[in-house]
Amino acid sequence: MSRRRIGFWYRFSAVLCKPPLVVLIKRDWRGMENIPAEGGFITAVNHNSHVDPFAYGHFQYNTGRVPRFLAKSGLFSKGFVGAAMRGTGQIPVYRESTDALSAYRAAIDAVERGECVAFYPEATLTRDPDQWPMTGKTGAARVALQTKCPVIPVAQWGANLLLPPYATKPDIFPRKTHHVLAGPPVDLSRFYDKEMTPELLKEATEVIMAAITEQLEVIRGEKAPTTRYDPRQVRVEQRRMTRSQEKRARAERENAAREIATREKVARETVARETVALEKAEQEEGHGK
């Protein structure tokens, strides 16, 4: 896509967003040569800050191939924001759809029109304690296998230092550096022309996530954990732990109740024995008189 096709709304948004980004963030951008000069493609990007869509969008804008992000459909009907979302060609995702492929039909159409569609495969900010990419959702793999388009793995790091995940206040000083590294296309050819079963999509997604993680390892200069953080599995373990804790707490309450009942029984029996002994002593004293 040439810059002539970027359009008014994207240029207008760039005018609004680029100055503060230039002031707040230094840039270390690499791998632009891996962004296709023409044709539809996907970028699969890690997500670790509410700021990084803007910071990454700046990188992608400068390649001349502007990204079309997937966003909640509700954002497209809200005043200026909705006008900007529609004008910049962002892609609405109708989450009420019950068909997974239909939910990404707009993304497929955009790729087939020769657009760049940017996916955050994690679908949310990473919850990994060290901010490595988590397990991914299958949307990017589904669109890639449907269209057989290139998938460019992109890692970014630095916007999360300006505004950490789930933080409410930015850490402006010292000035942070936004690192971006776009890698070569992910080879998904072994998945082509096969039934898109959940298992196949999960495997293809992991290939994409591994490629993103590999780029992030280069940026960070360290190795990622061998086991990827899986928020679904963590929730299952937390629920299991909660049930175990509840069961243990219930057992402790029951044991405490039994101990109290036992102590009360012993106390009653002791009082009864002492009462009998006292009455017997009184009777014997009366006989002695």
Side-chain angles (χ1 to χ4, degrees):
M1 177 188 293
S2 68
R3 288 186 176 274
R4 292 190 300 275
R5 294 178 57 191
I6 288 177
F8 166 77
W9 273 103
Y10 234 121
R11 294 185 185 278
F12 179 66
S13 299
V15 168
L16 294 179
C17 296
K18 287 176 69 173
L21 289 171
V22 170
V23 170
L24 293 173
I25 304 175
K26 295 182 286 186
R27 296 177 301 283
D28 172 28
W29 293 346
R30 291 173 281 166
M32 284 188 177
E33 68 278 4
N34 290 317
I35 301 298
E38 58 183 19
F41 67 101
I42 287 171
T43 56
V45 193
N46 66 308
H47 192 18
N48 53 26
S49 173
H50 288 300
V51 174
D52 68 42
F54 300 97
Y56 168 69
H58 188 189
F59 163 83
Q60 188 75 47
Y61 181 90
N62 279 24
T63 69
R65 301 300 307 276
V66 294
R68 312 301 181 184
F69 288 97
L70 279 75
K72 296 178 183 178
S73 58
L75 293 174
F76 289 75
S77 58
K78 297 181 179 180
F80 176 80
V81 172
M85 296 290 285
R86 295 189 300 272
T88 54
Q90 307 312 311
I91 299 172
V93 175
Y94 299 92
R95 295 190 176 184
E96 64 273 15
S97 172
T98 57
D99 181 76
L101 187 57
S102 294
Y104 290 99
R105 184 69 250 177
I108 292 170
D109 291 343
V111 169
E112 291 176 343
R113 290 196 308 269
E115 303 275 6
C116 165
V117 178
F119 273 89
Y120 284 125
E122 298 161 279
T124 187
L125 292 172
T126 182
R127 290 182 172 84
D128 181 90
D130 294 319
Q131 299 183 43
W132 291 101
M134 305 187 295
T135 53
K137 304 294 186 182
T138 60
R142 188 181 295 274
V143 174
L145 298 184
Q146 179 75 13
T147 61
K148 298 182 181 178
C149 69
V151 178
I152 309 301
V154 182
Q156 58 178 336
W157 185 261
N160 55 306
L161 304 179
L162 174 64
L163 185 67
Y166 307 103
T168 56
K169 295 182 179 180
D171 181 11
I172 297 175
F173 301 107
R175 190 173 174 223
K176 309 303 186 288
T177 299
H178 182 231
H179 304 271
V180 180
L181 178 58
V186 180
D187 183 8
L188 298 176
S189 59
R190 67 181 182 274
F191 302 109
Y192 291 165
D193 301 320
K194 294 182 179 180
E195 181 183 359
M196 284 195 282
T197 63
E199 292 74 20
L200 181 137
L201 289 170
K202 183 177 180 180
E203 185 179 353
T205 298
E206 178 52 31
V207 172
I208 294 171
M209 297 309 300
I212 298 171
T213 303
E214 183 179 346
Q215 306 308 310
L216 189 56
E217 287 177 335
V218 173
I219 290 175
R220 295 178 60 171
E222 56 184 307
K223 296 295 291 183
T226 54
T227 302
R228 197 175 305 287
Y229 185 91
D230 185 346
R232 179 178 297 179
Q233 183 61 35
V234 170
R235 287 194 297 271
V236 170
E237 292 174 358
Q238 288 174 340
R239 286 195 295 269
R240 184 182 299 121
M241 184 178 300
T242 300
R243 287 195 295 268
S244 176
Q245 291 171 339
E246 290 175 349
K247 184 177 180 180
R248 185 164 57 250
R250 185 167 57 251
E252 290 173 353
R253 289 194 299 270
E254 291 172 352
N255 289 335
R258 281 195 293 269
E259 290 177 3
I260 292 172
T262 300
R263 287 196 297 268
E264 289 177 347
K265 180 180 179 181
V266 170
R268 287 194 300 271
E269 291 174 348
T270 300
V271 169
R273 285 196 300 270
E274 290 175 349
T275 300
V276 170
L278 181 60
E279 290 176 348
K280 183 177 181 181
E282 290 176 346
Q283 289 174 357
E284 290 176 350
E285 184 178 351
H287 291 313
K289 291 180 179 180

